[in-house]
Amino acid sequence: MSDLIPVKEVKGRPIPLRGNDIDTDRIIPARFMKAVTFDGLGQLAFYDERHNADGSLKGHVMDDPRFLAKGDRIAVVNKNFGCGSSREHAPQALLRWGIKALIGETFADIFYGNCIANGMPVVTGDTATVDKILAAIEKDPAHDLQLDVEARTVTYNGETFSIEIPDGVRKQLLDGTWDATRVLLSAAEDVKKIADSIPYVSGF
Amino acid sequence: MASTLFDKVWQAHAVRELPSGQTQLFIGLHLVHEVTSPQAFQMLREDSLGVPYPERTLATVDHIIPTDTDSRPFADEQAEGMMSAIEKNCKEFGIRLLDRKSGSQGIVHVIGPELGITQPGMTIACGDSHTSTHGAFGSIAFGVGTSQVRDVLASQCLAIVKPKLRRVEVTGVLPKGVYAKDVTLQVIRELGVNGGVGYAYEYAGEVFDAMTMEERMTVCNMSIEGGARCGYINPDQTTFEYVSGRKFAPEGDALKRAITWWKSVASEPGASYDDVATLDGSSMAPVVTWGINPGQALRIDEKIPAAADFATDDRQTVEDAHAYMGWKPGTAIAGTKIDVAFIGSCTNGRISDLREAARIAKLGKVKSHVKALVVPGSQDVARQAEAEGLPEVFRAAGFEWRLPGCSMCLAMNPDKLVGNEVCASSSNRNFKGRQGSPSGRTLLMSPAMVAAAAIEGAVSDVREML
Ligand code: SF4
């Protein structure tokens, strides 16, 4: 297995994705989930929000020339982002489109876990903070947004904001233990002991 | 000190606390389906990992499977690709696959319980958000992402933060024509679509005590729609009777020992909860969703609300829902014309759901402008329905009777809405585009209400037909 990869900082052009309760069906419609790999999901992110029925662009912010950029991206969102279906295709689509981290007011549980499991920092700020960040990037999108996991800050165009990230998640990102499989496998003997102690595992 | 089922089951399965603050939790039952697993198996291969407890994982095919034909290869090449991938993966890693040939195929959350695989006191994971269904048996069951599917395959464990616990009490006796679906939609409406984030729900009170297992499954199924990753009901006599005698259930003395253990994991009187919510069941009515999330719901006698009726925070979503659904605030939900009626899904595709719907279907004929579909949740459900003559009842009324699968719940197979059709659906999600058309519109309701809507051609109060 690969070595642990710490995620201390993410830097990239911002992409504002405004709106509350943006569900994973919107992030990646179910009809695109029939592939057996995640390859190619990037260009399908938010497909129905970005395209008309004839395939032409609707003018979604992801296609707005002001927000087009190369390299890593950081999304800024509002409340309950990623609710609905547990599909990991949602963070994978965002990741493959270039989004390496998310900043928002709140996130749905499963989506949040899926992001962390892929080494994507997801951090939260109160409504006022997120509003300020959104306003700053929409006013002038041509700067890198900097997310410092260690210092719990976001910096944009010279302005620094405090954000929240739970201690445990921060630690996972910093020491690379977001790669859960590796961590879980290191206790195989304890797992066996627990398995043996559970009545239904041994058939009562 | 009195403790809860949640604490007891969690503790029995906790391997250790991880430095991240998460618990390494042993997963007693892992369910797998074709959509969220291929990438996980791929990751195993890339990292040269095996599956150390293959007998604790069970696979089926439900999401992409056509409901109008059994023949292979499937017409849809991608669906065929997923089907062959799960066949190959299960074979390679020694996992039991319940496909159509097995006679036990069905929606993963329908077959676990009906085969007696789902049992009280278990920890259950599946790469599917409606895994919460299995909580009906008094197990801790939640949906996970594909990376976590890989984790469970590779280690039989999950790294997970223990959620807080909310007791959701529904008191009283449900009036006639009010079903488990109405109760769960009402709970979500009152507690909010994200009211359960960070919580597990323990459903308790007279209404749940009186429910059958299938009704309890409908309620637990929708926990995730209220933001709670898992929801459960304490196991009782109803649970034990349901599990006993099923294919994978313990038998004889083992069953006796099992029941003793199952009783011992139930929450004790006086146990404490992080939060308690109480609703009155006796004043409930049939519920129909009008918007684009399951919390945007109305009693059948209510009118479409205006954005101004909501907190500032929610207004945008409400306006969004008005625009997408084409509503004028103040319109009555009853009488809304429908184009499609869908009865099925892991929420309401069980035999009791089909029986209730058939009871209504007997009363008339599907209106000519309505396409109506009944999709049993599993091959077992289909066989039982056939034994009871239900397909004939449905066909005579103008419904199509299909083969088991997820079908139009999320339309990954050929069953889809077209254009901006309005669908009365017994499924669990009314998100934009959920039923296969980017502009399709979904109204969630109980299966009996769907049948009523099919016959009337419009949303109707099923209480008047009973
Ligand atoms: S019936 Fe619908 S909600 Fe249930 S597992 Fe299938 S797709 Fe998911």
Side-chain angles (χ1 to χ4, degrees):
Chain A
M1 280 183 77
S2 51
D3 284 334
L4 295 180
I5 306 165
V7 180
K8 294 195 161 67
E9 186 193 75
V10 182
K11 203 167 102 178
R13 287 294 150 97
I15 180 81
L17 297 170
R18 280 190 184 264
N20 294 332
D21 307 312
I22 293 183
D23 59 71
T24 53
D25 273 84
R26 278 157 82 179
I27 299 174
I28 185 83
R31 64 181 188 281
F32 297 133
M33 291 165 54
K34 287 192 204 157
V36 292
T37 74
F38 288 136
D39 304 341
L41 281 184
Q43 67 217 47
L44 301 172
F46 284 103
Y47 190 89
D48 291 341
E49 314 253 308
R50 294 168 65 193
H51 297 87
N52 293 309
D54 64 2
S56 60
L57 291 175
K58 282 184 180 172
H60 187 266
V61 64
M62 288 164 78
D63 304 304
D64 182 338
R66 291 179 70 224
F67 292 100
L68 292 183
K70 287 210 165 61
D72 292 351
R73 310 295 301 270
I74 298 179
V76 186
V77 306
N78 294 112
K79 288 199 182 73
N80 199 28
F81 188 86
C83 58
S85 153
S86 63
R87 63 189 67 159
E88 193 152 323
H89 301 68
Q92 287 286 347
L94 299 178
L95 192 63
R96 280 153 210 268
W97 189 79
I99 294 171
K100 298 290 157 64
L102 292 114
I103 302 167
E105 293 175 64
T106 58
F107 293 86
D109 272 5
I110 300 181
F111 175 83
Y112 183 91
N114 287 343
C115 289
I116 303 301
N118 283 293
M120 288 165 82
V122 178
V123 302
T124 55
D126 56 26
T127 308
T129 306
V130 172
D131 275 350
K132 271 190 226 156
I133 301 173
L134 280 169
I137 62 184
E138 282 168 352
K139 192 167 152 232
D140 179 8
H143 301 276
D144 272 350
L145 185 62
Q146 221 167 321
L147 168 63
D148 188 330
V149 174
E150 185 140 39
R152 291 188 162 105
T153 58
V154 166
T155 305
Y156 191 70
N157 199 6
E159 211 177 337
T160 298
F161 307 87
S162 302
I163 44 88
E164 284 161 48
I165 176 162
D167 290 338
V169 176
R170 176 169 167 272
K171 190 171 180 322
Q172 275 178 285
L173 290 166
L174 293 178
D175 62 19
T177 52
W178 53 268
D179 185 352
T181 312
R182 210 183 146 87
V183 175
L184 294 172
L185 279 171
S186 65
E189 273 172 37
D190 296 341
V191 174
K192 175 96 184 38
K193 262 186 231 145
I194 286 287
D196 291 343
S197 75
I198 298 171
Y200 64 84
V201 174
S202 47
F204 296 100
Chain B
M1 215 180 75
S3 49
T4 61
L5 177 141
F6 197 78
D7 278 340
K8 289 189 260 188
V9 174
W10 188 276
Q11 227 154 44
H13 293 79
V15 176
R16 58 175 175 159
E17 294 307 308
L18 298 170
S20 60
Q22 293 168 305
T23 304
Q24 176 162 358
L25 193 69
F26 181 80
I27 298 302
L29 172 61
H30 183 206
L31 300 166
V32 162
H33 66 77
E34 75 280 23
V35 176
T36 53
S37 68
Q39 295 86 354
F41 284 110
Q42 193 57 40
M43 295 184 217
L44 291 186
R45 282 194 199 95
E46 282 166 9
D47 286 339
S48 314
L49 295 168
V51 177
Y53 297 87
E55 72 288 354
R56 307 231 63 84
T57 294
L58 190 95
T60 191
V61 282
D62 48 11
H63 284 66
I64 52 100
I65 199 157
T67 59
D68 53 355
T69 168
D70 248 346
S71 68
R72 292 279 300 275
F74 300 146
D76 176 346
E77 259 174 54
Q78 282 178 307
E80 179 59 30
M82 292 192 123
M83 185 72 208
S84 336
I86 198 162
E87 287 169 332
K88 174 170 174 269
N89 291 330
C90 286
K91 200 160 169 225
E92 180 177 337
F93 291 95
I95 292 165
R96 186 197 293 252
L97 171 65
L98 297 175
D99 55 10
R100 283 240 173 98
K101 275 184 298 212
S102 73
S104 299
Q105 174 266 341
I107 304 172
V108 64
H109 312 309
V110 175
I111 67 168
E114 77 189 0
L115 293 172
I117 297 164
T118 301
Q119 294 169 17
M122 284 183 158
T123 47
I124 302 177
C126 173
D128 192 281
S129 44
H130 294 97
T131 308
S132 56
T133 312
H134 306 263
F137 291 79
S139 56
I140 300 182
F142 40 77
V144 296
T146 297
S147 304
Q148 290 171 308
V149 172
R150 170 202 58 189
D151 292 347
V152 181
L153 287 169
S155 70
Q156 205 56 40
C157 291
L158 275 176
I160 186 166
V161 175
K162 189 177 179 195
K164 289 186 282 188
L165 187 59
R166 173 179 293 143
R167 187 173 156 97
V168 180
E169 266 185 44
V170 182
T171 57
V173 178
L174 294 180
K176 201 168 151 198
V178 177
Y179 296 91
K181 182 64 157 287
D182 302 307
V183 175
T184 191
L185 285 170
Q186 190 65 32
V187 168
I188 297 166
R189 181 184 179 185
E190 293 197 17
L191 303 182
V193 280
N194 50 16
V197 173
Y199 281 96
Y201 281 178
E202 174 178 300
Y203 299 100
E206 292 142 276
V207 162
F208 303 115
D209 290 344
M211 281 185 181
T212 63
M213 287 314 293
E214 299 201 347
E215 292 171 318
R216 293 177 185 183
M217 285 186 246
T218 299
V219 172
C220 291
N221 175 275
M222 302 253 329
S223 305
I224 185 67
E225 306 310 330
R229 212 160 155 183
C230 79
Y232 70 87
I233 293 172
N234 281 298
D236 60 8
Q237 204 49 39
T238 307
T239 322
F240 310 144
E241 278 167 20
Y242 179 96
V243 178
S244 303
R246 293 187 183 262
K247 192 168 169 196
F248 289 88
E251 291 171 288
D253 283 347
L255 178 64
K256 278 190 204 135
R257 287 192 294 274
I259 292 178
T260 308
W261 186 67
W262 294 341
K263 282 184 178 159
S264 78
V265 296
S267 294
E268 294 152 37
S272 69
Y273 296 82
D274 299 295
D275 190 38
V276 178
T278 308
L279 285 79
D280 172 24
S282 16
S283 60
M284 287 186 182
V287 179
V288 178
T289 66
W290 61 273
I292 50 172
N293 71 49
Q296 293 177 320
L298 294 173
R299 294 163 60 104
I300 182 72
D301 51 10
E302 287 181 296
K303 296 190 165 69
I304 305 299
D309 302 343
F310 291 84
T312 332
D313 252 10
D314 294 330
R315 287 186 194 156
Q316 181 59 48
T317 312
V318 171
E319 280 167 8
D320 215 10
H322 286 153
Y324 184 83
M325 301 294 290
W327 287 120
K328 261 219 248 28
T331 318
I333 187 84
T336 304
K337 212 173 148 231
I338 64 153
D339 307 299
V340 178
F342 170 64
I343 296 171
S345 88
C346 59
T347 315
N348 283 123
R350 298 186 177 80
I351 189 68
S352 54
D353 300 314
L354 304 191
R355 284 183 194 135
E356 282 304 308
R359 204 144 75 93
I360 306 299
K362 270 192 192 136
L363 303 175
K365 289 254 182 301
V366 172
K367 278 276 179 309
S368 60
H369 71 273
V370 176
K371 176 186 166 75
L373 222 65
V374 183
V375 185
S378 71
Q379 290 182 298
D380 262 350
V381 171
R383 269 192 300 271
Q384 182 61 33
E386 278 152 20
E388 296 176 21
L390 302 187
E392 289 73 28
V393 173
F394 285 119
R395 285 195 192 108
F399 288 84
E400 291 176 42
W401 173 258
R402 295 294 189 86
L403 299 170
C406 295
S407 180
M408 210 184 263
C409 173
L410 96 165
M412 279 189 79
N413 76 343
D415 310 332
K416 296 182 198 320
L417 294 186
V418 179
N420 67 354
E421 280 178 337
V422 174
C423 178
S425 179
S426 72
S427 58
N428 45 43
R429 284 185 171 154
N430 52 346
F431 300 148
K432 290 179 178 178
R434 169 75 179 185
Q435 293 191 283
S437 161
S439 51
R441 296 174 284 178
T442 304
L443 308 176
L444 302 175
M445 58 191 86
S446 72
M449 286 281 286
V450 175
I455 282 174
E456 299 294 332
V459 175
S460 312
D461 190 341
V462 72
R463 291 175 300 186
E464 290 161 11
M465 301 173 80
L466 290 170

